[in-house]
Amino acid sequence: MNMVRIGDPVRRDEDYRLIKGHGRYADDVNENRQARAFVLRSPHAHAEIGHIDKAAALAAPGVLAVLTGDDLETRGLGAQFPNIRGKKSDGSPGYVCSMPILAQGRVRFAGQPVAFVVAESVDQAKDAVELIAVDYRVLPAVITADDALADGAPAVWDDNPGNEAYFHEVGNRQAVDAAFNDAAHRVSHRVCVNRVTGNAMEPRGCIANYDEYEDRYTLRATIQSAHGTRATLAQQIFKIPQTKIRVICDNMGGGFGIKGGCYPEYSLSMWASEVIGRPVKWIAERQESILTDEHGRGGFVDAELALDADHNFIALRTHTKVPIGAYFTTDRNIGAAVSGLGGLAGVYKTPNIHAMVTGALTNIMTNAQYRGGAKPEPCHVIEVMVDQAADQLGVDAAELRLKNTVLSSAMPYRTGLGHVYDCGDFVRNFEQCLETGGYQGFEARREDAAKRGKYLGIGLSNTVSGVAMVNFEHVEVRFDTEGGITLLCGAMDHGQGHETTFKQVLADKLGVDIDGIRYKMGDTDVVATGVGTFNARCAVFVGSAVTIAAEKIIEKGKRIAAHMMETAPGDIEYQGGTFSVAGTDKSLDITEVAKTAFQRPKLPADIEPGFYEHGEFGVGEGPVYPNGAHLVEVEIDADTGRIEITRYVAVDDAGVVLNPLLFDGQVHGGIAHGAGQILMEDIHYDDAGQLLTGSFMDYAMPRADDFCTFELAANEVPTARNPLGVKGVGEAGTVGSMPSLMNAINDALSHIGAPNVEMPATAEKVWRSIQAAE
């Protein structure tokens, strides 16, 4: 028997089959008579399309179909559009510009799909792509938000001069302006948040099959939301009932937000299967992924922090300019920039906050949520501004933070942006982090490093952000006629360990053997509904839904057990997988009750046969607020500018920890994501809109030897906003690591009089800063 409880360090069930190569990813599956597809992509960032000559490609060996924008118009497929369009700065509606699944008339970024070639083999499809002749007339391109919003900038869309897609603001502008007028100190800084991409181990891919007999499509793809993808395909692209599409995803080799969208290749593969009458597989190559996976983050934030004479924060204002790409085509393009703005308040008592965001259309790939879902950026901004203020005022950064931090006794606390923190002990997290990290002895370590030709820097962050903010999640617990258990889940797993975690919750609530539970997700024909995996929402929503379903199972089981043991339901107790009559030795195992539940003659008249229940849980009283403090020390080589992380401490409050092993794993991964962006990761276009970091030769990512050992701790402050008291941990490492590492680097540079650097803090950039000081 493998009896586990919530909080036990249970190893992931998934790992054994995955490390043996027994996973089932999109490219592991091959259908009978399957054809292969390859995409012809625009080589230009902005150009008009004249004639497309596909005759030679169609005549090439093995070619089955060549689809272009003209064919798309004939077929009449739609395009995605945002449900939240927002407004522009002049009050008019946001400028919606949907991206067709194949370019029509004009291309607006390098990599945009122009033609979709299907052949017997992928090599034949690639060869045929090279035979397609496209008449392009190159147009001027704008790449950065600043350039796009400048007076006289070339228009990405002719009917939208100025290139503004949307303007969003939160907070009280008048109150903030008044506070700044009364401020004793003002600190201004332009914070860079560079553009990155996810680089999941498994590139995007799909297999589509149109069944003419059923008039129905099946799509197997690497996606973070099976039901969400089906809804988009049905409602916006194909305009058919959702029942005519089945979407499947088994294993997924990493998501991080980049696989949350419904990409053109999925629709194209479905359409191509319809055209040729055979299954069609498309798998992205790595360079395609870097070029056309939705990018994350990006832009500049002009920030100002106001303080009174006693160094209390009295106001914060920011204006973020984000290059959203050439198309405002989904809610992801606006959500990636505005949905996490509450993080600007941080753990601090700042009473007045005003934030503005301008989304600028640019001739680059579109943006979307990336690990942290729009929260790392504002959390980074406030924590960088605190360090800027401490440096400018000549005070200790830790003391400035503690002076302004919300106390646990103030909970629930309403922030300057109106969000309500229900619980948390921000001071305890921070003080424990300082103590574990040896903050008081830092200056001695700095002096020792200097003797070795190293510049030592220390960086801090103390962050909080809201998660599980939207919608709900669904699970179903099914017992079969022999007492076997299947747990069905609407969320998707892309490395988090959902199978282990949610089986663990169910095993705890029912008191059953975890090995007797089968877990299934990612099939719209099997799981009734679901939203998907984003925003560190699954521990909160799915874990709570499992709890609710388990309670329903127990309640029905009590009624059946009472009938079986000839007593009143109120006399039945349940514990450890056993129904018993209170005060007696009469008992029944849950398996016996489950078997009986399928035998109609043995049930009372008012109980339906079967032993299965569903559970749904969604936003009730509000989101939950995971929070945590991070401390980083870095050594910078004086001669080369190379950065080495020498100490990393994190103390996080994710509420009740369901599984300590997976908790640590999520924090580890989040730290690597955040540190990668600060140190080296960068999506970089030249002035013509050509991606210069389009391969792993140019796009750098951290390796294990870029890190030291992480010292992690959990301060569990349960929330009352869900049955489990959980807050989520998937984003904690990224949110905390970005500002703490950036602050550590700039602390080392500031100490020698060198100017600050912005992400990515490459060795060359740091070396140049050192040279400027010398």
Side-chain angles (χ1 to χ4, degrees):
M1 297 287 287
N2 188 7
M3 308 299 291
V4 302
R5 307 286 293 176
I6 289 173
D8 288 348
V10 180
R11 292 185 179 275
R12 299 197 331 170
D13 289 346
E14 305 94 311
D15 289 348
Y16 183 70
R17 65 174 179 270
L18 294 178
I19 62 176
K20 291 179 66 179
H22 292 165
R24 186 182 296 152
Y25 300 92
D27 204 18
D28 290 328
V29 178
N30 292 293
E31 301 281 357
N32 185 37
R33 300 178 62 243
Q34 166 186 290
R36 295 298 301 267
F38 197 74
V39 182
L40 171 64
R41 301 186 182 277
S42 169
H44 305 293
H46 198 190
E48 288 186 353
I49 299 176
H51 179 63
I52 299 178
D53 186 351
K54 60 182 184 179
L58 280 169
V63 171
L64 303 170
V66 178
L67 304 176
T68 66
D70 290 342
D71 302 308
L72 175 62
E73 186 165 351
T74 300
R75 176 58 178 83
L77 298 181
Q80 294 185 71
F81 53 85
N83 295 306
I84 303 170
R85 66 186 301 176
K87 295 182 179 180
K88 299 175 73 171
S89 55
D90 62 4
S92 63
Y95 183 78
V96 171
C97 39
S98 296
M99 184 173 79
I101 60 175
L102 287 173
Q104 294 177 313
R106 188 177 291 195
V107 290
R108 290 182 168 85
F109 67 93
Q112 183 169 357
V114 174
F116 195 68
V117 177
V118 184
E120 296 289 353
S121 72
V122 69
D123 287 337
Q124 288 175 326
K126 287 181 180 180
D127 289 342
V129 159
E130 295 183 3
L131 299 176
I132 300 174
V134 184
D135 179 21
Y136 292 108
R137 187 173 73 86
V138 178
L139 301 171
V142 287
I143 309 307
T144 70
D146 283 343
D147 288 345
L149 297 171
D151 291 340
V156 177
W157 293 82
D158 294 340
D159 60 345
N160 187 47
N163 295 314
E164 184 182 329
Y166 61 79
F167 174 82
H168 182 85
E169 64 180 327
V170 294
N172 189 323
R173 186 198 294 251
Q174 289 73 26
V176 168
D177 289 345
F180 266 89
N181 289 335
D182 296 335
H185 307 282
R186 301 180 186 181
V187 180
S188 300
H189 184 60
R190 184 170 235 215
V191 182
C192 170
V193 181
N194 68 313
R195 183 175 265 232
V196 292
T197 189
N199 286 318
M201 291 179 68
E202 180 193 19
R204 289 188 295 114
C206 67
I207 307 171
N209 189 17
Y210 173 69
D211 186 327
E212 187 175 9
Y213 175 76
E214 290 193 352
D215 186 24
R216 193 166 190 254
Y217 304 85
T218 297
L219 177 74
R220 180 183 294 274
T222 55
I223 47 178
Q224 290 176 230
S225 174
H227 293 86
T229 300
R230 180 182 67 170
T232 298
L233 291 168
Q235 296 168 2
Q236 298 190 9
I237 310 297
F238 284 82
K239 301 173 185 176
I240 57 178
Q242 292 187 38
T243 53
K244 288 186 174 291
I245 300 176
R246 178 187 185 186
V247 176
I248 304 169
C249 178
D250 290 314
N251 294 127
M252 187 187 341
F256 316 126
I258 63 170
K259 294 178 182 172
C262 184
Y263 288 87
E265 295 86 358
Y266 308 154
S267 302
L268 290 169
S269 297
M270 293 167 62
W271 174 25
S273 176
E274 170 193 320
V275 170
I276 70 170
R278 293 166 55 178
V280 174
K281 175 188 278 192
W282 170 82
I283 303 294
E285 297 186 343
R286 181 59 65 182
Q287 287 182 310
E288 278 186 287
S289 286
I290 298 175
L291 186 65
T292 64
D293 289 349
E294 288 174 314
H295 295 157
R297 317 215 211 283
F300 288 95
V301 186
D302 293 305
E304 296 178 276
L305 179 65
L307 303 88
D308 66 15
D310 294 323
H311 298 164
N312 296 301
F313 303 161
I314 59 173
L316 173 71
R317 58 187 174 198
T318 65
H319 186 186
T320 305
K321 297 176 182 177
V322 181
I324 73 166
Y327 295 92
F328 181 14
T329 192
T330 77
D331 290 344
R332 292 161 61 78
N333 306 139
I334 187 171
V338 308
S339 62
L341 287 174
L344 285 170
V347 300
Y348 306 113
K349 296 176 284 189
T350 316
N352 305 295
I353 304 173
H354 178 249
M356 301 182 292
V357 179
T358 301
L361 291 162
T362 50
N363 293 112
I364 60 178
M365 180 59 196
T366 54
N367 69 326
Q369 287 91 339
Y370 174 61
R371 189 168 188 167
K375 291 177 286 297
E377 300 95 307
C379 291
H380 180 82
V381 168
I382 181 57
E383 288 302 301
V384 165
M385 290 304 294
V386 174
D387 264 39
Q388 289 288 323
D391 192 49
Q392 181 172 315
L393 298 173
V395 299
D396 182 80
E399 292 178 4
L400 186 61
R401 282 180 169 83
L402 285 170
K403 180 180 183 66
N404 286 279
T405 298
V406 175
L407 302 178
S408 59
S409 59
M411 299 295 176
Y413 183 83
R414 184 176 295 276
T415 74
L417 286 174
H419 301 278
V420 178
Y421 301 156
D422 62 312
C423 65
D425 195 338
F426 308 146
V427 171
R428 182 175 64 151
N429 293 343
F430 193 60
E431 290 181 337
Q432 181 178 339
C433 190
L434 294 177
E435 182 179 356
T436 304
Y439 187 74
Q440 294 301 321
F442 171 72
E443 289 302 331
R445 296 194 296 276
R446 193 191 312 255
E447 292 177 7
D448 179 68
K451 296 174 184 177
R452 296 182 283 107
K454 307 286 186 180
Y455 302 134
L456 192 67
I458 192 166
L460 306 170
S461 69
N462 197 11
T463 58
V464 59
S465 60
V467 304
M469 295 182 286
V470 294
N471 227 308
F472 78 105
E473 203 49 77
H474 164 89
V475 304
E476 185 177 353
V477 177
R478 292 181 185 172
F479 281 75
D480 60 32
T481 56
E482 293 184 346
I485 307 171
T486 299
L487 173 59
L488 304 172
C489 178
M492 308 292 293
D493 182 285
H494 43 95
Q496 296 91 340
H498 285 178
E499 179 175 340
T500 299
T501 302
F502 301 132
K503 285 168 59 176
Q504 185 173 352
V505 172
L506 183 59
D508 176 281
K509 296 302 179 183
L510 293 182
V512 298
D513 185 346
I514 191 172
D515 294 334
I517 303 172
R518 175 178 176 263
Y519 181 82
K520 180 64 179 174
M521 57 94 188
D523 188 336
T524 58
D525 271 12
V526 176
V527 183
T529 188
V531 175
T533 302
F534 321 88
N535 189 228
R537 65 193 297 277
C538 290
V540 176
F541 285 171
V542 178
S544 298
V546 170
T547 301
I548 291 168
E551 290 171 349
K552 291 181 178 179
I553 286 286
I554 292 169
E555 187 59 32
K556 183 172 184 178
K558 285 181 177 181
R559 295 170 63 201
I560 296 173
H563 182 74
M564 293 171 68
M565 292 186 285
E566 299 180 336
T567 188
D571 294 333
I572 299 295
E573 297 176 341
Y574 183 79
Q575 187 174 5
T578 301
F579 296 95
S580 58
V581 180
T584 74
D585 59 357
K586 287 185 176 182
S587 64
L588 290 168
D589 183 84
I590 191 172
T591 302
E592 299 175 76
V593 173
K595 292 177 179 179
T596 302
F598 290 92
Q599 301 177 50
R600 185 68 185 88
K602 295 184 178 181
L603 298 177
D606 62 339
I607 295 181
E608 293 182 353
F611 209 41
Y612 28 78
E613 295 287 351
H614 62 84
E616 281 82 23
F617 184 83
V619 176
E621 297 181 33
V624 293
Y625 290 93
N627 55 89
H630 289 224
L631 178 151
V632 187
E633 282 186 23
V634 298
E635 282 188 354
I636 299 176
D637 187 274
D639 295 325
T640 66
R642 183 181 182 276
I643 298 168
E644 180 183 357
I645 300 173
T646 57
R647 178 169 300 194
Y648 201 107
V649 178
V651 180
D652 282 295
D653 168 19
V656 172
V657 175
L658 301 179
N659 186 323
L661 290 179
L662 302 191
F663 173 93
D664 286 353
Q666 284 292 293
V667 177
H668 288 176
I671 291 171
H673 268 96
Q677 178 167 6
I678 297 300
L679 294 175
M680 62 191 73
E681 294 191 46
D682 190 37
I683 284 289
H684 186 74
Y685 289 90
D686 68 13
D687 292 341
Q690 295 300 315
L691 182 62
L692 301 183
T693 51
S695 75
F696 287 170
M697 293 293 290
D698 306 295
Y699 189 98
M701 288 180 290
R703 301 177 302 187
D705 60 1
D706 288 308
F707 298 99
C708 61
T709 299
F710 303 142
E711 299 177 67
L712 307 182
N715 277 338
E716 298 184 47
V717 181
T719 177
R721 289 181 171 174
N722 62 74
L724 291 176
V726 298
K727 297 178 181 177
V729 71
E731 300 172 351
T734 305
V735 169
S737 65
M738 288 174 60
S740 56
L741 181 52
M742 194 79 256
N743 286 339
I745 295 166
N746 282 323
D747 175 67
L749 294 175
S750 176
H751 189 71
I752 63 169
N756 281 3
V757 298
E758 295 291 328
M759 64 176 84
T762 61
E764 179 188 355
K765 194 182 294 185
V766 171
W767 178 84
R768 292 187 182 278
S769 175
I770 294 170
Q771 298 308 302
E774 294 176 352

